[in-house]
Amino acid sequence: MTERFTDNQDGTITDVQTGLMWQEGYAYPETGSYINWYDANDYIDDLNGRKLGGFSDWRMPDRLEIQSLYEIGKPFKSRGKTFILHIDPIFEFSYGSCFWTCKTRLSAALGFEFDIGDMHWYPQGSISGSVRAVRGALNPKVMVDPAWTRLQES
């Protein structure tokens, strides 16, 4: 069976199933702390200025895109410890389980939590999340395709 993710060896990961390209790292290890939603947008702007992977069209993911990375059966292992943060180990992960999305409502923004696979609204100014940039467009139909289910089970 084909691996779902391809390491492009340039700080990016391609999701073969969805066609999305993801930042391999994320904001927390670079900043050393959680950031608010506004700083997450600034972080993305900085990635675009640096042209991560040769691209300048990075953006914050929407709710379906970030949820597509959640893997219920793969706890994250690092440095001999098992963390209950459900994401493929091809991605860099150290600390910070809540990731900002582009979805906002009034003064709140939606955050996805990898430790429990749930979404919550947080004030945009709260220092409670991190961000992993994405580029490309997700076709949501791919997530209801029977092939998606088979891929998730392997």
Side-chain angles (χ1 to χ4, degrees):
M1 175 172 268
T2 305
E3 291 293 322
R4 177 174 169 194
F5 298 106
T6 302
D7 186 342
N8 300 314
Q9 304 296 315
D10 60 1
T12 69
I13 304 287
T14 298
D15 184 336
V16 177
Q17 187 72 19
T18 65
L20 294 171
M21 182 180 285
W22 291 92
Q23 174 189 12
E24 181 179 8
Y26 65 112
Y28 189 92
E30 290 185 31
T31 63
S33 63
Y34 289 115
I35 57 176
N36 65 40
W37 187 83
Y38 302 107
D39 290 339
N41 280 289
D42 291 342
Y43 176 83
I44 299 283
D45 289 343
D46 181 60
L47 285 181
N48 284 323
R50 290 188 278 152
K51 293 193 174 192
L52 175 65
F55 300 98
S56 60
D57 59 347
W58 295 98
R59 58 182 173 74
M60 203 174 303
D62 69 24
R63 66 179 290 175
L64 285 178
E65 290 168 337
I66 196 73
Q67 283 179 305
S68 76
L69 293 180
Y70 184 79
E71 298 202 12
I72 198 161
K74 287 189 179 179
F76 184 80
K77 295 183 181 187
S78 176
R79 298 184 188 134
K81 295 181 181 178
T82 300
F83 297 91
I84 310 300
L85 298 170
H86 305 277
I87 189 168
D88 193 285
I90 197 168
F91 289 97
E92 177 185 350
F93 216 101
S94 63
Y95 192 75
S97 66
C98 182
F99 284 76
W100 292 112
T101 71
C102 62
K103 180 74 174 163
T104 61
R105 182 186 308 157
L106 301 173
S107 63
L110 196 59
F112 180 74
E113 298 177 13
F114 273 91
D115 54 352
I116 56 176
D118 203 1
M119 296 221 158
H120 295 282
W121 291 98
Y122 296 95
Q124 291 177 13
S126 70
I127 301 173
S128 56
S130 192
V131 66
R132 185 182 305 273
V134 68
R135 59 180 301 277
L138 171 69
N139 177 354
K141 290 181 182 177
V142 100
M143 294 177 75
V144 293
D145 183 324
W148 175 270
T149 304
R150 285 191 297 280
L151 190 61
Q152 294 298 306
E153 291 172 351
S154 61

